């Protein structure tokens, strides 16, 4: 899922980084592509804006509304200086943007936040909070499943082609056509499919559904490959059993928790998903001639952080910074971060903590910026990638915490 120095990025269920710049002045008459006017629900600015999707809301400005129940994945980066980047993921609350910082790249404009003066020359973000790989249903958190995001990507590509044919007017704001082949296509998606399935299925049923989920993912990757995509950066899913939201719902029985007090069945499903995803990446390398497919082990990075949180300077691994209820989880699904709700006849507010750098988790679902910074720093070592790129990684993160 992550990227390059002078790259461009697109986020589809992920992100696509296409060409690097960051520059380019805004154009008052450029509002491409326009927000859909159909009856299909579209995210608010907070849900679709790349800045809203930074690793986590700053502690001084907690989100005004809770993010949907989506687990937060991550992203990193690698590639040559001339490469471009496409990105696909299921949430905007992760450390991918820290990787962009490491590459001196700007935050990515979102495809659905494109009215006004966006600049897609450095990439475009198709990510949606709460989206899934499998097609959305009436009960889905987000209608923007992986397949729909790919369709949005193709619409974006078609419009870029049309605008470029009209001359140089928009060249400062959109990628060149060769970026779609040279770009790095970044994916961080799948955790919502697993987490959502546990609400209505047994552990065995969730695990049995994994091949179907990955078949849908494989189909999307093949479609992108047929359209010229050649560089793929794919994150596995994190330890969703360590999220306060899931511990609160499924961890009331201590026998259901593992040694780190995470919900064991959720993590078992995540690890099986990752094994099959890794095998898929290996298979596709043989099936897709001329491709670079990098698999990144986000699970190991995040589980190590939970297990060794104090070593990395954190005070709590599974307590939400912004929440309600107090220790040990400070999470109550009835009162999302930043909101005021009536609980047992009393109005209560889920407030942010005084220092988010002490917490691994922000709101019960997403990681704090400090935690995402740690995850990003581990991704950028290259040792959690297959194939590894330990000797090829030129990006370094400047210390922040």
């Amino acid at each position: 899922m992550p990227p390059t120095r002078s790259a461009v990025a697109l986020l589809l269920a992920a992100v696509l980084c296409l060409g690097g710049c960051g520059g380019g002045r805004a154009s008052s008459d450029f509002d491409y592509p326009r927000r859909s006017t159909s009856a299909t629900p579209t995210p608010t600015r907070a849900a679709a804006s790349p800045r809203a999707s930074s690793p986590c809301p700053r502690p001084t400005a907690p989100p005004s509304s809770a993010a949907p129940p989506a687990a937060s994945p991550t992203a990193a980066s690698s590639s040559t200086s001339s490469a471009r980047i496409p990105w696909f993921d299921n949430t905007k609350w992760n450390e991918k943007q820290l990787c962009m910082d490491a590459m001196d790249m700007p935050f990515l404009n979102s495809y659905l936040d494109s009215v006004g003066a966006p600049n897609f020359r450095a990439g475009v973000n198709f990510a949606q909070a709460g989206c899934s790989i499998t097609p959305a249903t009436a009960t889905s958190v987000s209608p923007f499943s992986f397949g729909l995001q790919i369709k949005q990507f193709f619409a974006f590509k078609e419009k870029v082609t049309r605008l470029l044919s009209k001359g140089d007017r928009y060249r400062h704001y959109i990628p060149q056509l060769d970026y779609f082949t040279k770009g790095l296509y970044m994916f961080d998606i799948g955790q919502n499919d697993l987490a959502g399935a546990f609400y209505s299925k047994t552990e065995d049923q969730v695990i049995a559904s994994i091949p179907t989920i990955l078949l849908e993912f494989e189909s999307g990757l093949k479609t992108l490959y047929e359209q010229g995509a050649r560089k793929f950066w794919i994150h596995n899913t994190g330890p969703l059993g360590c999220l306060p939201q899931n511990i609160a719902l499924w961890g009331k029985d201590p026998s259901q928790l593992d040694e780190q007090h995470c919900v064991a069945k959720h993590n078992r499903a995540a690890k099986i998903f990752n094994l099959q995803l890794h095998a898929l990446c290996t298979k596709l390398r043989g099936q897709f001639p001329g491709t670079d497919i990098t698999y990144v082990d986000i699970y190991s990075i995040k589980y190590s952080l939970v297990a060794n949180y104090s070593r990395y300077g954190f005070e709590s691994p599974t307590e939400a910074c912004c929440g309600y209820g107090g220790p040990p989880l400070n999470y109550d699904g009835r009162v999302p971060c930043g909101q005021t709700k009536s609980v047992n006849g009393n109005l209560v507010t889920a407030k942010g903590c005084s220092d988010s750098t002490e917490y691994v988790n922000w709101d019960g679902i997403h990681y704090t910026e400090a935690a995402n910074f740690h995850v990003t720093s581990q991704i950028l070592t290259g040792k959690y990638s297959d194939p590894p790129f330990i000797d090829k990684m030129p990006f370094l993160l400047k210390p922040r915490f």
Side-chain angles (χ1 to χ4, degrees), residues 71 209 266 287:
S209 72
H266 284 63
Q287 292 184 353

Side-chain angles (χ1 to χ4, degrees), residues 249-318:
L249 289 172
W250 285 280
K252 295 181 176 65
D253 179 356
S255 68
Q256 300 301 308
L257 302 177
D258 66 13
E259 63 274 14
Q260 303 305 330
H261 304 287
C262 301
V263 183
K265 65 179 182 179
H266 284 63
N267 284 352
R268 284 194 295 265
K271 287 190 282 189
I272 292 173
F273 176 90
N274 292 338
L275 284 172
Q276 295 185 29
L277 176 62
H278 196 181
L280 174 62
C281 291
T282 301
K283 182 184 79 169
L284 293 181
R285 290 190 193 106
Q287 292 184 353
F288 292 175
T291 59
D292 292 321
I293 299 177
T294 301
Y295 169 88
V296 185
D297 186 8
I298 298 301
Y299 184 100
S300 292
I301 297 173
K302 288 188 171 181
Y303 195 78
S304 175
L305 173 58
V306 171
N308 303 290
Y309 65 94
S310 59
R311 179 192 306 174
Y312 300 118
F314 294 93
E315 299 294 329
S316 177
T318 56

Side-chain angles (χ1 to χ4, degrees), residues 12 15-16 30 34 36 55 57 81 85 96 112 143-144 152 219 223 290 326 330 352 365 393:
L12 263 129
V15 175
L16 164 59
F30 181 61
R34 292 184 180 278
S36 169
S81 60
I85 309 166
K96 287 187 294 294
L112 291 178
F144 296 94
Q152 291 175 331
S219 176
T223 301
N330 195 36
I365 305 170
M393 194 62 200

